[in-house]
Amino acid sequence: MLNKSLRLIALSTVLIAGAALAKNPNVGGAPMYENKNIIENAVNSKDHTTLVAAVKAAGLVETLEGKGPFTVFAPTNEAFAVLPKGTVESLLKPENKDKLTKILTCHVVGADASSKAIMKMVDDDEGAHPVKTVGGCVWTAKYKGKKLTLTDENGTVANVTIADVKQSNGVIHVIDRVLLPKM
């Protein structure tokens, strides 16, 4: 009887521990690995080819491969497609590297901020939390239910569509809009 109870307790502990170690979601049809850095994972997402091209054009690959920690709000290809026609092509030109770098670094926070941590900051700030980015932009984080949003300095609202994609050097939150600084 005691032996059976101990086995039941051991099995329960394994099941609870397994649930606590939830697997990272797939992004863009590709598995995301916690032991890989932001760049190593992002290059495998078919939903982030535009973002990866932009990061390369801005010369930010080495930075985002670095130790971090970073929180990246990663716009999808569809998010870039919403921008006015020709915007992405223009930003990828060498003469627009500074502008592209500013936009991309405004999608990065120099911390490892999970959605739960961001929501707590929103609660602590009574419904809206200013998010200071590496690029010097300040976005406004809010949430309703479990839906986290960011609003840029122009009033564009990005929804976090996939939260808490853990990386070896931080976390990625996939968003459905490109956030832009006031320029």
Side-chain angles (χ1 to χ4, degrees), residues 59-76:
L60 295 172
V61 170
E62 192 172 304
T63 300
L64 292 174
E65 287 176 331
K67 185 176 180 178
F70 304 109
T71 296
V72 175
F73 295 99
T76 61

Side-chain angles (χ1 to χ4, degrees), residues 42-64:
V43 298
N44 294 316
S45 168
K46 68 176 175 50
D47 292 344
H48 290 90
T49 56
T50 305
L51 177 61
V52 169
V55 167
K56 288 177 181 177
L60 295 172
V61 170
E62 192 172 304
T63 300
L64 292 174

Side-chain angles (χ1 to χ4, degrees), residues 97-110:
K97 183 178 179 180
D98 289 345
K99 189 174 187 179
L100 177 61
T101 300
K102 172 78 171 176
I103 291 168
L104 293 175
T105 57
C106 281
H107 286 80
V108 180
V109 176

Side-chain angles (χ1 to χ4, degrees), residues 37-181:
N37 67 47
I38 289 164
I39 296 297
E40 291 170 326
N41 277 317
V43 298
N44 294 316
S45 168
K46 68 176 175 50
D47 292 344
H48 290 90
T49 56
T50 305
L51 177 61
V52 169
V55 167
K56 288 177 181 177
L60 295 172
V61 170
E62 192 172 304
T63 300
L64 292 174
E65 287 176 331
K67 185 176 180 178
F70 304 109
T71 296
V72 175
F73 295 99
T76 61
N77 296 338
E78 288 180 5
F80 281 99
V82 172
L83 294 173
K85 186 176 173 111
T87 301
V88 173
E89 294 77 13
S90 176
L91 286 170
L92 293 175
K93 291 180 179 177
E95 61 267 24
N96 293 323
K97 183 178 179 180
D98 289 345
K99 189 174 187 179
L100 177 61
T101 300
K102 172 78 171 176
I103 291 168
L104 293 175
T105 57
C106 281
H107 286 80
V108 180
V109 176
D112 187 342
S114 69
S115 61
K116 184 177 178 180
I118 296 168
M119 289 176 180
K120 181 177 181 336
M121 290 180 243
V122 169
D123 288 341
D124 291 347
D125 289 342
E126 300 177 5
H129 178 73
V131 177
K132 294 175 183 159
T133 69
V134 171
C137 298
V138 180
W139 306 148
T140 302
K142 295 180 180 182
Y143 74 93
K144 186 172 187 172
K146 292 190 184 260
K147 184 179 175 185
L148 184 62
T149 63
L150 291 169
T151 304
D152 71 15
E153 297 163 344
N154 304 295
T156 300
V157 178
N159 297 292
V160 174
T161 58
I162 303 174
D164 302 321
V165 185
K166 295 177 182 157
Q167 315 290 299
S168 65
N169 60 346
V171 63
I172 291 174
H173 302 292
V174 177
I175 57 175
D176 64 357
R177 292 288 178 270
V178 176
L179 300 168
L180 298 171

